[in-house]
Structure formats: structure tokens, C-alpha cells
Amino acid sequence: MSPGTIVSGHRIEAVLRHDASGITYRATGQRGPVDLTVLPADLSADPDFRRRFGRALDIAVRLRHPHLADVLGHGNDNGRLWIATTCLPGDTAGKLLRARPDGLDDASAVHIIADVGAGLDSAHRKGLVHRNVRPDTIVVAEADGTPHAVLTGFGLSRTADDARYHPANDIHSLVYTLVELLTGSAPVPDQPLPERIPPALRVVIERALGGERNLRYRTCTEFTRAAELAITLSRPGTESAGQPSAGRSPGSSGSSGSNAEEDAPATEIFDDPTIRARRLFTPRASPDRPTEVVTDRRAALQKNVAGPGPQPQPHRAARPTATPRRGRLRKAVVPILAVLAVVAVVVGGLVYLGSRNAPPGWSSAAQPIADTFPDLLPSRPGEQGWRDAGCKETTKDSVVGITCINPDNLTFVVWHTRTEAGHAAVVDDLPNRPGMARSWDEGPVFASPDTVSHGWVVTDFNDDKRRPYTVVTTWPGHTGRQVLDDWWQSAPFGP
């Protein structure tokens, strides 16, 4: 469209960018400048896409997050769908890469990904999956010398099969985007990561892309916090490896002077690269929890004492005679023993408090259910399941299950239906069974007809691990089709 064209009251000023999702213009509306994306004619004419577009935008307009582009409006103009978002200064990360084909510096790349990851987790908690995270959908501006990233493009994906997408797809795309920002090109499947990526960060990325699903990061924030920590650990002379901040300045363990010499033993112990390599990034289920860092500090400290190289000595006045060897060794070891004592007290206290405050786990009958669906169900009672659902154990005709209710009053129950009789016990009282069959590669799915106002969906599975389980989802005041569209399609069933 040429400058001056009017689209639903928005005057086109200039072209900002264009891709398969449409053309984005700088435009002026009644409320001022906006970024106006006009979708291609073929997508706009597709009834299935129009339905998904409207459903996604109904959620997107309610999202408010500093790292997500605010949706100001959307509609249809002469058969072309459009969406207006906040006017964003800056360039896309894709454009930045084209100007720097070898990639951005590590700290900037991780900072951008951390911004985007925080926005994605916010959207996931609202039930919205982006499905198109890449450098060209990230707009980056400078804020006080620090990059500020905003994710655009919710609802504009050309994905044909929504049923295959859930938040894990966005996490995977976020990892790929980080590699592209670091190296200038996306990772190649089954190929080692480029050597340009620091070893500590490479460990985090390999874990996120690994074939073992249970070891991957469960939220974007878990991944980005681990990446931030890896960047901190990779800096030479870092004073503290416990602060996962991409913007932290390098430490000064190599500086001269009496104060630096007095602090040298503790600083050098934690900056030893051999100790960094033994750190383990352990993901947590909640995006609002910090990534856990597990390290055997006691063994690391002991190895450091026995390791090669002279131990730094506290600054002291010269003496007429040399200090005996035993005295020098005592002065070198005392600070380290003090650190060991403090670490032992802290760890012991945490273990004691954790054992007292940890809530009880699931019963032996319910624990296998939680273990089989770790992204859908909490690891223990009292924690929240997917989409902030409150969960508890339940039983029906001797069939054990875990039932959850989310803030939208939607209920999903994962039943351990080992027998046909057990399966019948949990589904036979649903109205208008068997309902409408839904095509799904992973198992049989049936939804209530549109005439049933208390909609339901029954999900079974074909694989050996999940075959003994049945997920029954109900939503008062909604149809089965709405349960499929708004909950089932993005539910993290596994495998």
C-alpha cells in the first residue's frame, strides 16, 4: 500500500517490514502513531485462520507486559485482516543481525532473549502461544545504553495444525533465536554448536535442545536465567557467580593493592574455571522462581586448596626473618576453612528448614499421574498446575485422579484408568457421549456437541507411557469446541 492509503481509519505513512505474516506499516490513527500489520489476502480469506486469528487476538488485547507489543485494535478492511499495535522505536533483531553477520555480543544477545522470555511466560499464563518467535519478530531499542526487546506478532502465525503447539514450542524457538543472535545463523540439527558460544552457555543451550524432555527447561524464564548465569560465570574475574545478570560488570580479582590481596583467596576459589564446569542448572516448574544452581562448593574449595599455584598471602609488614613454612600454610588455610564453615552452616540450615516447611507430596497412587504429566500437573499438592490451576487428589469408583480448576473455572482431571471399567467410570456420566471425534495422532479425542452448554473433552493416548491415563476436561457455560480451541490445543500433554 502506498503512503496516504486509509485502512480502517489509519493513514499509511511508510513500510516498516514485511514477511510471510504480512506487511507492517507505520500508520497514524485517531490515537496517534501505530504499527499496523495488514495480513495477506489468502490468509484473510481462510475461514479457519480467521477463526484462530480472532480467538488469539481476544486474548492478546488483554495482555499488558513491557516486553510484548500492546494490541490496540484489529479488524477487517475490504477483506484484509489487520492488527494495530503500539508504535515501537528501534529495529528488529533480524535487521541488527544483517548489520552484524557474525552475531551480537554475548551479554546483549542474552539480555534480548531474557526480555522476550519474560513476555512469553506472561502470555503462556494467559493461554496464548506465539508459535513464531524469531529475530524478525523482536524489536530492539536502546534504553539507557541497554537493549530493550519487545516481541511482536501474536496471532499472526501461519501454523496449519494448532493442536501440536504448546508453550514448549516457544521455548524451543527462543533457544534457536539465542543461537542465531550469538552466531549470526540458526543452529543446524544434529550438528555441534559453534565454538564461538562460551562453554558454560553451550551447556545451557544443549540442555534446552536435548532429546530428554524431562531435563529441558519448563519455562522461558528458567532458560533465560540459566543463560544469564552462564554468561556471568564465563566472565574472567567475576567476583560472584551467584548473580545471574547479563549486565554485571567484570570483577577485579586480578587487581593489585592490599585490599585485593586480602580478598583474593575467596575470590579465586569461586572464579576457578574447573569449579564453574561442575555447576548444574536445574529447571523449576514455576516461571516466577529463580533457576536453582546446585554446586558442590565444599569439594570445589578443597580441590582449590590442593590445586597448583601459590596461595595469595594477606598483606603484612616485612619482618627481619622469614616466616616459618607452617605459619604461612596456616595463614593461607584459615580463610578457606572459615568459608567452608559458613557454607556448611548455611546448607545445613536450608536443609533443615526445607525439611520442616516442604509440603507433603502426592500419595503413592497419585504420584505416577503427576510424574507422567509434569508440565500439566504440579509436582506436589499446594502448588499450581498449568495456567495457575489449583490441584488436588480425587477418587471416583476406586479410580484415582488429580483434579485441577483454573481461574477461568475450567476443570481438568487426569485419571489413572488402568482398565476399561475404570475408563467407563470416569466418562459414562458425561452428557451426549461419545460426542464429536477429533483427529489427533497421539490418541482418541472426543468433544461434546455444540448443543451441550457444559462442554467437555475426553483425551486418551496411544503410547505405552500415557495409555493408562485419561484426561477429562469440562467448562461450564462453554461448548466442547471452545474447550478444544481455548484449552486443549495448547495443553502440555507431553509425551
Side-chain angles (χ1 to χ4, degrees):
M1 297 181 183
S2 58
T5 303
I6 303 298
V7 178
S8 296
H10 300 88
R11 177 186 174 87
I12 300 296
E13 305 293 348
V15 176
L16 294 179
R17 52 190 175 272
H18 56 85
D19 54 28
S21 298
I23 303 176
T24 300
Y25 302 91
R26 179 60 44 82
T28 302
Q30 295 180 349
R31 291 183 288 181
V34 298
D35 288 356
L36 185 76
T37 301
V38 180
L39 277 63
D42 59 335
L43 283 183
S44 298
D46 184 344
D48 182 62
F49 179 84
R50 291 164 65 96
R51 177 178 58 82
R52 290 190 289 112
F53 175 81
R55 184 176 68 250
L57 266 297
D58 285 343
I59 301 174
V61 294
R62 300 194 297 269
L63 290 177
R64 288 296 180 268
H65 193 277
H67 300 296
L68 298 179
D70 290 344
V71 177
L72 304 178
H74 60 93
N76 187 323
D77 184 271
N78 293 324
R80 299 284 294 273
L81 297 174
W82 59 268
I83 174 174
T85 59
T86 305
C87 180
L88 297 173
D91 295 318
T92 66
K95 185 175 181 179
L96 295 179
L97 280 179
R98 287 187 283 275
R100 306 173 191 174
D102 293 332
L104 310 181
D105 65 273
D106 300 344
S108 295
V110 171
H111 189 98
I112 291 170
I113 291 302
D115 283 354
V116 174
L120 280 170
D121 280 340
S122 174
H124 293 164
R125 288 192 289 271
K126 299 294 185 182
L128 192 60
V129 180
H130 190 278
R131 305 177 301 216
N132 194 26
V133 179
R134 53 195 176 89
D136 284 329
T137 58
I138 301 171
V139 176
V140 182
E142 291 288 330
D144 298 326
T146 302
H148 178 86
V150 177
L151 182 64
T152 67
F154 273 105
L156 300 180
S157 172
R158 298 193 65 161
T159 302
D161 187 3
D162 282 3
R164 293 182 178 273
Y165 283 84
H166 55 73
N169 296 96
D170 282 349
I171 301 173
H172 195 270
S173 297
L174 191 67
V175 179
Y176 264 60
T177 300
L178 175 58
V179 175
E180 190 167 354
L181 293 179
L182 290 169
T183 66
S185 58
V188 179
D190 301 324
Q191 295 294 324
L193 294 171
E195 292 296 326
R196 180 249 182 276
I197 301 176
L201 186 54
R202 193 180 305 128
V203 170
V204 174
I205 294 172
E206 288 172 347
R207 179 171 190 165
L209 298 177
E212 180 55 54
R213 184 182 299 269
N214 290 333
L215 294 181
R216 296 177 187 170
Y217 300 100
R218 297 184 181 181
T219 68
C220 296
T221 302
E222 284 177 355
F223 165 66
T224 60
R225 282 175 174 161
E228 288 176 322
L229 183 55
I231 289 295
T232 301
L233 294 176
S234 299
R235 291 198 183 103
T238 302
E239 292 181 0
S240 172
Q243 299 296 327
S245 173
R248 184 178 174 87
S249 300
S252 56
S253 60
S255 61
S256 61
S258 59
N259 291 337
E261 290 181 355
E262 290 173 0
D263 296 335
T267 302
E268 290 190 0
I269 288 167
F270 290 104
D271 279 347
D272 186 345
T274 63
I275 297 175
R276 292 181 195 152
R278 290 194 292 276
R279 292 182 181 271
L280 173 66
F281 302 104
T282 303
R284 292 284 196 174
S286 171
D288 296 321
R289 290 181 181 171
T291 300
E292 181 183 5
V293 182
V294 182
T295 178
D296 188 354
R297 292 189 175 185
R298 179 174 300 178
L301 289 167
Q302 291 172 344
K303 181 172 182 178
N304 190 77
V305 172
Q311 293 294 326
Q313 300 295 319
H315 179 74
R316 56 185 180 273
R319 299 176 62 179
T321 57
T323 303
R325 182 178 181 85
R326 175 179 293 181
R328 290 199 303 269
L329 181 60
R330 184 184 302 113
K331 290 181 180 294
V333 172
V334 166
I336 297 173
L337 294 178
V339 173
L340 284 173
V342 171
V343 171
V345 171
V346 172
V347 171
L350 290 176
V351 170
Y352 173 73
L353 291 176
S355 64
R356 293 187 60 187
N357 298 330
W362 296 110
S363 70
S364 59
Q367 189 62 52
I369 306 175
D371 292 342
T372 305
F373 298 90
D375 296 328
L376 188 67
L377 303 172
S379 59
R380 60 179 65 247
E383 296 180 352
Q384 291 183 322
W386 188 55
R387 289 195 186 176
D388 300 327
C391 303
K392 64 180 181 180
E393 188 171 337
T394 187
T395 303
K396 183 176 183 179
D397 294 342
S398 301
V399 180
V400 177
I402 295 178
T403 181
C404 304
I405 303 178
N406 72 15
D408 294 326
N409 201 32
L410 179 145
T411 299
F412 59 94
V413 189
V414 184
W415 296 102
H416 199 170
T417 51
R418 308 181 186 186
T419 64
E420 292 185 7
H423 186 273
V426 301
V427 302
D428 278 354
D429 59 349
L430 297 172
N432 294 80
R433 284 197 69 248
M436 306 179 298
R438 167 84 182 199
S439 176
W440 195 39
D441 293 342
E442 298 181 27
V445 178
F446 290 89
S448 60
D450 291 342
T451 54
V452 177
S453 60
H454 192 107
W456 53 263
V457 172
V458 175
T459 307
D460 291 297
F461 305 94
N462 292 331
D463 58 283
D464 292 340
K465 181 178 181 180
R466 296 178 296 169
R467 186 178 291 117
Y469 301 94
T470 300
V471 181
V472 178
T473 310
T474 56
W475 199 2
H478 296 76
T479 65
R481 193 182 306 273
Q482 288 175 310
V483 176
L484 287 171
D485 290 345
D486 295 343
W487 186 87
W488 183 87
Q489 289 191 114
S490 58
F493 291 121

